[in-house]
Amino acid sequence: QVQLVESGGGSVQAGGSLRLSCAASGSIRSIDAMGWYRQALGKQRELVAAITTGGNTRYTDSVKGRFTISRDRTKNTVYLQMNNLKPEDTAVYYCNSGPALGVTGRYWGQGIQVTVSS
């Protein structure tokens, strides 16, 4: 069992920045990859960024150059630094943990709202 606790969401103007945090606890030895998904109103949930224990990363094209995912292994925490936010980034963001990069994990955070106004 893995628990994921998210923090750091909020509302910003376009061009602003936010940093999301996701702290993992429980059976964390089963985790190789952690990442962030998002789901906007009326749209399917999509992968935003992910990172493995070894530091390999993956980003969706729409956030490349603006978002950076990182991992603090001593705290079992993954971060998503979001810069130059755009209205289309507005969504509920979900932390996710799983066995490998490119594979959706079985554990999810509760979801945290990010709203970007134009």
Side-chain angles (χ1 to χ4, degrees):
Q1 188 70 242
V2 174
Q3 295 80 45
L4 304 174
V5 179
E6 303 162 339
S7 61
S11 299
V12 297
Q13 296 285 330
S17 297
L18 288 171
R19 189 179 76 157
L20 305 182
S21 299
C22 176
S25 62
S27 300
I28 58 176
R29 286 180 294 177
S30 65
I31 298 174
D32 182 60
M34 294 182 66
W36 293 93
Y37 287 71
R38 67 186 180 189
Q39 187 166 21
L41 185 64
K43 298 182 179 179
Q44 291 186 289
R45 190 173 298 185
E46 65 172 347
L47 176 69
V48 179
I51 187 168
T52 66
T53 300
N56 193 21
T57 59
R58 177 182 176 183
Y59 297 91
T60 191
D61 286 344
S62 63
V63 308
K64 289 179 180 177
R66 300 188 297 119
F67 291 10
T68 303
I69 190 168
S70 61
R71 191 170 187 173
D72 186 339
R73 298 177 67 179
T74 64
K75 298 180 179 179
N76 298 311
T77 299
V78 65
Y79 304 94
L80 185 67
Q81 179 66 45
M82 304 185 293
N83 296 326
N84 192 25
L85 284 160
K86 302 176 180 180
E88 51 263 43
D89 296 317
T90 295
V92 177
Y93 285 68
Y94 297 89
C95 186
N96 176 260
S97 65
L101 202 65
V103 179
T104 302
R106 70 188 72 178
Y107 301 107
W108 295 90
Q110 81 282 2
I112 189 164
Q113 179 71 45
V114 171
T115 301
V116 184
S117 59
S118 60

